[in-house]
Structures are given as C-alpha cells and as structure tokens.
Amino acid sequence: MLVTTERQTDLIRVASYRCDAGPDAQPFTELHEGYSVSYVRKGSFGYRTRGRAYELVAGSVLVGCPGDEYVCTHDNHVCGDECLAFHLSPGFVELIGGDRKAWRTGGLPPLAELVVIGELAQAAADGQGDAGLDELGMWFASRFVDVVSGRAKPRPAPAALPRDRRRAVDAAMWIDAHSQHDIGLDGAAAEAGLSAFHFLRLFSQVLGVTPHQYLVRSRLRHAARLLADDDSRPVTEVALDVGFADLSNFVRTFHRAAGVSPGGFRKAARGDRKIFQDRLATLFHDDRLIHSSSRKPSCTPPPD
C-alpha cells in the first residue's frame, strides 16, 4: 500500500492510497484511529466491518469511525484500487455533525451528490486546477453528512455468494468503462451472462444501487473530471462525450448532484473560492477558522 499525504491542516488531512494487492493477498484486521471518508477513485475491493460486507467500486465511499475494526479483501480485485481519503479532526466532525449511526455507515455506493465533488478533489490532488484540496475535502465530508442524515437506512440485504459478488463487481467495471455508450438493462445483463431480472436483483443487492443509477453516476463522475481538467471544451461537448443525450438533462442532473451548474463547477476547479465559502460558511462563524493554524480542534465526539 502506497500512502501519500496530499494536504494537512488542523482540521483535515488528505491522503492518497494506492493498493496493488491481488486476490491471493492475505486479509488482516485493521483499526480506524479517527473519523474519515474515503472516495474510491479507481478499481474495487471488499470492505468488512461490524459484521457487514461491502463491495466498493469507483465512486463508492468508505466511512471510518474511531475504534471500529475493519478488513479489506481483494477477492474481486481486477486492477488494483486507488482512494482519496479525508481524515477529519474531532473538532471538524463536531462542526459538521452527524450522529453515531451516520459515522457507522460503513460503506456507500456511488451517489450523485458525492461523485462530482470526489472527482473535483481528485483533480486537485493530481495538480489539475487551482481549487483548495483541504476545502474540497471539507465540502465532501459535510455533503456526506447531509446525504446520510437524510437517507433512510436500508435493510441489510441477504449475503450474496462470492461468485455473484464477483459478477456484480465485474459488471460495474464494464458499465463504468462503457458509460459513454447507450447501455440498457438487457445489454448489461447479457454482458454478465444473466437474465435481466436476475442481473438487476444481483447488482442492486451487492452494490446498493441499480445498474441504471450506477450508469448515470459514472457519467457524472467522468463529466466532473472533464470539467475540472479542461476549461476550453464546451459544456455541451462534455455532456455528449460522457453519454448524456441532451444538454438540458445533463445540466439539470449535474446541478442536482453538485448544487452548482457545470459552469459554476468549472469555475470552482479553476480556483473560484466563492463556491467553497458559500457552502462552508454555515459551518463556521468566520472564515478564519479554515485557515487558522493556532486553533485546536475539540475532541468531543458527535452525539449518539
């Protein structure tokens, strides 16, 4: 595992994780030492914590809660995995809130509200654009709390067989690689060698989203990266390149996910700080807290 600290302040530490472990790698128990939300940028891996199992693919989120034991597995490892992790101070967690259940979410499937910010943060970590990586991390973490606090807790799905989990992960990788094309349920099911009904049930059971939801969120993820990397390509061209059939649908879907238009998102990637200030202002009494190196974070955990 290669770990690189990209940015560190009193409130947040941003680190890149690159793992090349294969299916034969021996899993072992680790311990979350603090609060964290990690955006899966590439690849896939299994995550086991508190008796629950998650298959995490590109766009998924791994949630860490202090004191929780976890195991990462690589049975369905295809090409290694890369994550961008936001390790949060207790003081910052107290500011953004979220109860104990929220911080024990374990893992989240790719969600539109998070993939666009995750891609913007990854672009910043790669040196593309002028956005502040610490502020992006705080935006991502606060949006995570908003999302999980307003989302009904799903009932645990019955455990899938290892072979079926692999099928679902392989299907997600295929959908992500071909998301710019017109992919229907029948075509994705045929690629997986399953009936449409069986494929829909299996994919949703293992990954927590339907194939169509994953397809749309893959398109949003790719669009976010294009907007962050290239400020010369027209928004219409970006929409068509990633698989949206018309501009109005893309703009509406992107705005609903990111909270800003594609054009506003591009400005943020180029260093327009107003978007961060607007979204973080409600968390802070004044913006000196963001940049201060003298204020010590509180160690008070979020309420149960």
Side-chain angles (χ1 to χ4, degrees):
M1 174 78 73
L2 176 63
V3 182
T4 304
T5 296
E6 306 285 357
R7 175 75 170 148
Q8 183 161 4
T9 69
D10 279 354
L11 299 179
I12 189 170
R13 179 172 67 88
V14 185
S16 294
Y17 290 78
R18 290 178 172 81
C19 176
D20 58 1
D24 295 331
Q26 185 68 29
F28 57 92
T29 302
E30 300 182 72
L31 184 72
H32 286 295
E33 297 180 354
Y35 295 100
S36 64
V37 281
S38 301
Y39 176 68
V40 182
R41 174 69 183 93
K42 179 182 178 182
S44 65
F45 60 96
Y47 178 56
R48 313 287 185 262
T49 184
R50 296 187 311 281
R52 297 195 64 184
Y54 307 85
E55 295 297 336
L56 303 181
V57 294
S60 298
V61 177
L62 184 156
V63 184
C65 185
D68 279 358
E69 293 184 343
Y70 68 96
V71 175
C72 289
T73 62
H74 306 91
D75 301 338
N76 299 319
H77 230 300
V78 178
C79 58
D81 62 82
E82 298 178 9
C83 296
L84 190 64
F86 307 107
H87 298 277
L88 313 171
S89 73
F92 182 66
V93 171
E94 185 179 3
L95 283 171
I96 62 176
D99 58 17
R100 182 70 63 179
K101 289 183 178 179
W103 288 102
R104 286 187 168 173
T105 301
L108 287 174
L111 301 177
E113 303 93 331
L114 298 176
V115 296
V116 289
I117 308 173
E119 286 303 310
L120 185 55
Q122 183 61 44
D126 290 343
Q128 301 292 331
D130 302 313
L133 189 53
D134 54 340
E135 291 176 324
L136 286 169
M138 290 188 283
W139 183 14
F140 187 93
S142 61
R143 194 63 183 271
F144 155 77
V145 169
D146 291 342
V147 169
V148 298
S149 297
R151 187 176 298 270
K153 188 175 181 61
R155 287 182 295 178
L161 295 174
R163 134 190 109 185
D164 289 335
R165 301 184 79 87
R166 177 59 185 267
R167 275 180 166 176
V169 170
D170 286 347
M173 302 286 285
W174 182 84
I175 291 173
D176 187 57
H178 298 84
S179 59
Q180 73 274 25
H181 301 301
D182 184 13
I183 300 175
L185 178 61
D186 289 341
E191 183 69 23
L194 299 169
S195 70
F197 174 76
H198 188 193
F199 175 69
L200 174 61
R201 184 176 60 180
L202 176 64
F203 193 98
S204 303
Q205 175 187 350
V206 173
L207 297 179
V209 290
T210 68
H212 180 71
Q213 288 173 326
Y214 186 71
L215 172 64
V216 172
R217 292 163 196 183
S218 290
R219 288 171 175 170
L220 285 172
R221 191 165 56 81
H222 293 308
R225 189 54 190 262
L226 289 176
L227 290 168
D229 286 351
D230 186 353
D231 60 0
S232 63
R233 184 181 300 192
V235 172
T236 301
E237 186 177 314
V238 170
L240 295 175
D241 283 351
V242 301
F244 283 91
D246 66 86
L247 179 62
S248 61
N249 182 37
F250 169 65
V251 172
R252 184 172 58 253
T253 304
F254 193 95
H255 194 289
R256 188 166 57 242
V260 295
S261 68
F265 186 85
R266 174 174 272 165
K267 289 180 180 178
R270 301 272 73 80
D272 184 346
R273 295 172 54 82
K274 187 175 185 301
I275 184 173
F276 310 126
Q277 293 169 343
D278 288 348
R279 279 152 184 75
L280 295 175
T282 57
L283 301 176
F284 303 93
H285 292 297
D286 60 65
D287 64 2
R288 287 176 299 173
L289 181 59
I290 299 177
H291 304 288
S292 172
S293 60
S294 60
R295 178 165 178 170
K296 301 299 182 183
S298 165
C299 292
T300 305
D304 288 333

PDB file of all heavy atoms in Angstrom, residues 78-98:
ATOM      1  N   VAL A  78      -9.580  -6.431  -9.586  1.00  0.00           N
ATOM      2  CA  VAL A  78      -9.367  -6.542 -11.024  1.00  0.00           C
ATOM      3  C   VAL A  78      -8.098  -5.808 -11.449  1.00  0.00           C
ATOM      4  O   VAL A  78      -7.276  -6.346 -12.178  1.00  0.00           O
ATOM      5  CB  VAL A  78     -10.584  -5.969 -11.792  1.00  0.00           C
ATOM      6  CG1 VAL A  78     -10.344  -6.025 -13.294  1.00  0.00           C
ATOM      7  CG2 VAL A  78     -11.842  -6.745 -11.440  1.00  0.00           C
ATOM      8  N   CYS A  79      -7.922  -4.583 -10.973  1.00  0.00           N
ATOM      9  CA  CYS A  79      -6.785  -3.785 -11.450  1.00  0.00           C
ATOM     10  C   CYS A  79      -6.169  -2.954 -10.344  1.00  0.00           C
ATOM     11  O   CYS A  79      -5.553  -1.932 -10.604  1.00  0.00           O
ATOM     12  CB  CYS A  79      -7.246  -2.871 -12.596  1.00  0.00           C
ATOM     13  SG  CYS A  79      -8.591  -1.762 -12.135  1.00  0.00           S
ATOM     14  N   GLY A  80      -6.299  -3.389  -9.096  1.00  0.00           N
ATOM     15  CA  GLY A  80      -5.817  -2.556  -8.009  1.00  0.00           C
ATOM     16  C   GLY A  80      -6.835  -1.474  -7.707  1.00  0.00           C
ATOM     17  O   GLY A  80      -7.814  -1.292  -8.419  1.00  0.00           O
ATOM     18  N   ASP A  81      -6.607  -0.737  -6.634  1.00  0.00           N
ATOM     19  CA  ASP A  81      -7.557   0.323  -6.307  1.00  0.00           C
ATOM     20  C   ASP A  81      -6.815   1.565  -5.841  1.00  0.00           C
ATOM     21  O   ASP A  81      -5.681   1.507  -5.370  1.00  0.00           O
ATOM     22  CB  ASP A  81      -8.550  -0.140  -5.235  1.00  0.00           C
ATOM     23  CG  ASP A  81      -7.884  -0.504  -3.920  1.00  0.00           C
ATOM     24  OD1 ASP A  81      -7.608   0.414  -3.133  1.00  0.00           O
ATOM     25  OD2 ASP A  81      -7.624  -1.709  -3.688  1.00  0.00           O
ATOM     26  N   GLU A  82      -7.480   2.691  -6.013  1.00  0.00           N
ATOM     27  CA  GLU A  82      -6.961   3.975  -5.575  1.00  0.00           C
ATOM     28  C   GLU A  82      -8.062   4.711  -4.824  1.00  0.00           C
ATOM     29  O   GLU A  82      -9.207   4.724  -5.256  1.00  0.00           O
ATOM     30  CB  GLU A  82      -6.499   4.822  -6.760  1.00  0.00           C
ATOM     31  CG  GLU A  82      -5.363   4.201  -7.559  1.00  0.00           C
ATOM     32  CD  GLU A  82      -4.966   5.055  -8.747  1.00  0.00           C
ATOM     33  OE1 GLU A  82      -5.464   6.204  -8.844  1.00  0.00           O
ATOM     34  OE2 GLU A  82      -4.168   4.585  -9.572  1.00  0.00           O
ATOM     35  N   CYS A  83      -7.713   5.307  -3.688  1.00  0.00           N
ATOM     36  CA  CYS A  83      -8.669   6.064  -2.888  1.00  0.00           C
ATOM     37  C   CYS A  83      -8.079   7.418  -2.516  1.00  0.00           C
ATOM     38  O   CYS A  83      -6.859   7.560  -2.370  1.00  0.00           O
ATOM     39  CB  CYS A  83      -9.027   5.331  -1.597  1.00  0.00           C
ATOM     40  SG  CYS A  83      -9.882   3.759  -1.820  1.00  0.00           S
ATOM     41  N   LEU A  84      -8.954   8.391  -2.371  1.00  0.00           N
ATOM     42  CA  LEU A  84      -8.572   9.686  -1.813  1.00  0.00           C
ATOM     43  C   LEU A  84      -9.299   9.800  -0.486  1.00  0.00           C
ATOM     44  O   LEU A  84     -10.539   9.848  -0.438  1.00  0.00           O
ATOM     45  CB  LEU A  84      -8.979  10.819  -2.755  1.00  0.00           C
ATOM     46  CG  LEU A  84      -8.425  12.205  -2.408  1.00  0.00           C
ATOM     47  CD1 LEU A  84      -6.898  12.215  -2.517  1.00  0.00           C
ATOM     48  CD2 LEU A  84      -9.022  13.274  -3.312  1.00  0.00           C
ATOM     49  N   ALA A  85      -8.539   9.804   0.598  1.00  0.00           N
ATOM     50  CA  ALA A  85      -9.119   9.738   1.934  1.00  0.00           C
ATOM     51  C   ALA A  85      -9.054  11.091   2.623  1.00  0.00           C
ATOM     52  O   ALA A  85      -8.027  11.778   2.580  1.00  0.00           O
ATOM     53  CB  ALA A  85      -8.392   8.692   2.777  1.00  0.00           C
ATOM     54  N   PHE A  86     -10.155  11.444   3.278  1.00  0.00           N
ATOM     55  CA  PHE A  86     -10.224  12.674   4.057  1.00  0.00           C
ATOM     56  C   PHE A  86     -10.313  12.286   5.527  1.00  0.00           C
ATOM     57  O   PHE A  86     -11.350  11.800   5.994  1.00  0.00           O
ATOM     58  CB  PHE A  86     -11.444  13.497   3.637  1.00  0.00           C
ATOM     59  CG  PHE A  86     -11.507  13.760   2.152  1.00  0.00           C
ATOM     60  CD1 PHE A  86     -12.433  13.096   1.366  1.00  0.00           C
ATOM     61  CD2 PHE A  86     -10.624  14.636   1.548  1.00  0.00           C
ATOM     62  CE1 PHE A  86     -12.494  13.316  -0.002  1.00  0.00           C
ATOM     63  CE2 PHE A  86     -10.671  14.865   0.183  1.00  0.00           C
ATOM     64  CZ  PHE A  86     -11.596  14.207  -0.602  1.00  0.00           C
ATOM     65  N   HIS A  87      -9.218  12.482   6.251  1.00  0.00           N
ATOM     66  CA  HIS A  87      -9.156  12.174   7.679  1.00  0.00           C
ATOM     67  C   HIS A  87      -9.500  13.456   8.447  1.00  0.00           C
ATOM     68  O   HIS A  87      -8.839  14.483   8.271  1.00  0.00           O
ATOM     69  CB  HIS A  87      -7.768  11.670   8.058  1.00  0.00           C
ATOM     70  CG  HIS A  87      -7.380  10.402   7.357  1.00  0.00           C
ATOM     71  ND1 HIS A  87      -7.770   9.164   7.813  1.00  0.00           N
ATOM     72  CD2 HIS A  87      -6.651  10.184   6.227  1.00  0.00           C
ATOM     73  CE1 HIS A  87      -7.295   8.227   7.005  1.00  0.00           C
ATOM     74  NE2 HIS A  87      -6.621   8.826   6.029  1.00  0.00           N
ATOM     75  N   LEU A  88     -10.508  13.380   9.293  1.00  0.00           N
ATOM     76  CA  LEU A  88     -11.112  14.566   9.877  1.00  0.00           C
ATOM     77  C   LEU A  88     -10.786  14.692  11.356  1.00  0.00           C
ATOM     78  O   LEU A  88     -10.810  13.700  12.093  1.00  0.00           O
ATOM     79  CB  LEU A  88     -12.629  14.510   9.696  1.00  0.00           C
ATOM     80  CG  LEU A  88     -13.113  14.138   8.282  1.00  0.00           C
ATOM     81  CD1 LEU A  88     -14.610  13.894   8.287  1.00  0.00           C
ATOM     82  CD2 LEU A  88     -12.736  15.214   7.279  1.00  0.00           C
ATOM     83  N   SER A  89     -10.508  15.921  11.789  1.00  0.00           N
ATOM     84  CA  SER A  89     -10.261  16.154  13.210  1.00  0.00           C
ATOM     85  C   SER A  89     -11.579  16.047  13.976  1.00  0.00           C
ATOM     86  O   SER A  89     -12.664  16.302  13.427  1.00  0.00           O
ATOM     87  CB  SER A  89      -9.655  17.542  13.423  1.00  0.00           C
ATOM     88  OG  SER A  89     -10.646  18.541  13.222  1.00  0.00           O
ATOM     89  N   PRO A  90     -11.525  15.693  15.264  1.00  0.00           N
ATOM     90  CA  PRO A  90     -12.750  15.652  16.072  1.00  0.00           C
ATOM     91  C   PRO A  90     -13.482  16.987  16.073  1.00  0.00           C
ATOM     92  O   PRO A  90     -14.711  17.034  16.075  1.00  0.00           O
ATOM     93  CB  PRO A  90     -12.248  15.265  17.464  1.00  0.00           C
ATOM     94  CG  PRO A  90     -10.967  14.519  17.213  1.00  0.00           C
ATOM     95  CD  PRO A  90     -10.348  15.201  16.016  1.00  0.00           C
ATOM     96  N   GLY A  91     -12.720  18.083  16.061  1.00  0.00           N
ATOM     97  CA  GLY A  91     -13.342  19.398  16.050  1.00  0.00           C
ATOM     98  C   GLY A  91     -14.144  19.648  14.799  1.00  0.00           C
ATOM     99  O   GLY A  91     -15.247  20.211  14.851  1.00  0.00           O
ATOM    100  N   PHE A  92     -13.626  19.250  13.664  1.00  0.00           N
ATOM    101  CA  PHE A  92     -14.350  19.449  12.420  1.00  0.00           C
ATOM    102  C   PHE A  92     -15.579  18.544  12.362  1.00  0.00           C
ATOM    103  O   PHE A  92     -16.640  18.956  11.889  1.00  0.00           O
ATOM    104  CB  PHE A  92     -13.444  19.189  11.221  1.00  0.00           C
ATOM    105  CG  PHE A  92     -14.126  19.416   9.902  1.00  0.00           C
ATOM    106  CD1 PHE A  92     -14.544  20.682   9.536  1.00  0.00           C
ATOM    107  CD2 PHE A  92     -14.372  18.369   9.041  1.00  0.00           C
ATOM    108  CE1 PHE A  92     -15.198  20.901   8.333  1.00  0.00           C
ATOM    109  CE2 PHE A  92     -15.023  18.563   7.835  1.00  0.00           C
ATOM    110  CZ  PHE A  92     -15.439  19.842   7.485  1.00  0.00           C
ATOM    111  N   VAL A  93     -15.453  17.316  12.837  1.00  0.00           N
ATOM    112  CA  VAL A  93     -16.595  16.403  12.874  1.00  0.00           C
ATOM    113  C   VAL A  93     -17.695  16.977  13.757  1.00  0.00           C
ATOM    114  O   VAL A  93     -18.887  16.884  13.435  1.00  0.00           O
ATOM    115  CB  VAL A  93     -16.161  15.011  13.385  1.00  0.00           C
ATOM    116  CG1 VAL A  93     -17.373  14.121  13.635  1.00  0.00           C
ATOM    117  CG2 VAL A  93     -15.231  14.348  12.384  1.00  0.00           C
ATOM    118  N   GLU A  94     -17.313  17.610  14.854  1.00  0.00           N
ATOM    119  CA  GLU A  94     -18.302  18.229  15.727  1.00  0.00           C
ATOM    120  C   GLU A  94     -19.046  19.353  14.990  1.00  0.00           C
ATOM    121  O   GLU A  94     -20.257  19.540  15.169  1.00  0.00           O
ATOM    122  CB  GLU A  94     -17.617  18.775  16.976  1.00  0.00           C
ATOM    123  CG  GLU A  94     -18.570  19.344  18.008  1.00  0.00           C
ATOM    124  CD  GLU A  94     -17.843  19.855  19.246  1.00  0.00           C
ATOM    125  OE1 GLU A  94     -16.600  19.817  19.258  1.00  0.00           O
ATOM    126  OE2 GLU A  94     -18.534  20.287  20.175  1.00  0.00           O
ATOM    127  N   LEU A  95     -18.326  20.075  14.142  1.00  0.00           N
ATOM    128  CA  LEU A  95     -18.937  21.171  13.392  1.00  0.00           C
ATOM    129  C   LEU A  95     -19.935  20.681  12.353  1.00  0.00           C
ATOM    130  O   LEU A  95     -21.031  21.233  12.219  1.00  0.00           O
ATOM    131  CB  LEU A  95     -17.857  22.005  12.704  1.00  0.00           C
ATOM    132  CG  LEU A  95     -17.075  22.982  13.586  1.00  0.00           C
ATOM    133  CD1 LEU A  95     -15.915  23.570  12.806  1.00  0.00           C
ATOM    134  CD2 LEU A  95     -17.982  24.094  14.087  1.00  0.00           C
ATOM    135  N   ILE A  96     -19.564  19.646  11.604  1.00  0.00           N
ATOM    136  CA  ILE A  96     -20.444  19.202  10.519  1.00  0.00           C
ATOM    137  C   ILE A  96     -21.538  18.274  11.022  1.00  0.00           C
ATOM    138  O   ILE A  96     -22.517  18.030  10.315  1.00  0.00           O
ATOM    139  CB  ILE A  96     -19.652  18.520   9.387  1.00  0.00           C
ATOM    140  CG1 ILE A  96     -18.934  17.262   9.866  1.00  0.00           C
ATOM    141  CG2 ILE A  96     -18.679  19.493   8.752  1.00  0.00           C
ATOM    142  CD1 ILE A  96     -18.218  16.512   8.748  1.00  0.00           C
ATOM    143  N   GLY A  97     -21.381  17.742  12.242  1.00  0.00           N
ATOM    144  CA  GLY A  97     -22.448  16.953  12.844  1.00  0.00           C
ATOM    145  C   GLY A  97     -22.483  15.524  12.348  1.00  0.00           C
ATOM    146  O   GLY A  97     -21.481  14.954  11.916  1.00  0.00           O
ATOM    147  N   GLY A  98     -23.669  14.963  12.378  1.00  0.00           N
ATOM    148  CA  GLY A  98     -23.819  13.542  12.061  1.00  0.00           C
ATOM    149  C   GLY A  98     -23.789  12.739  13.346  1.00  0.00           C
ATOM    150  O   GLY A  98     -22.895  12.915  14.166  1.00  0.00           O
TER     151      GLY A  98
END
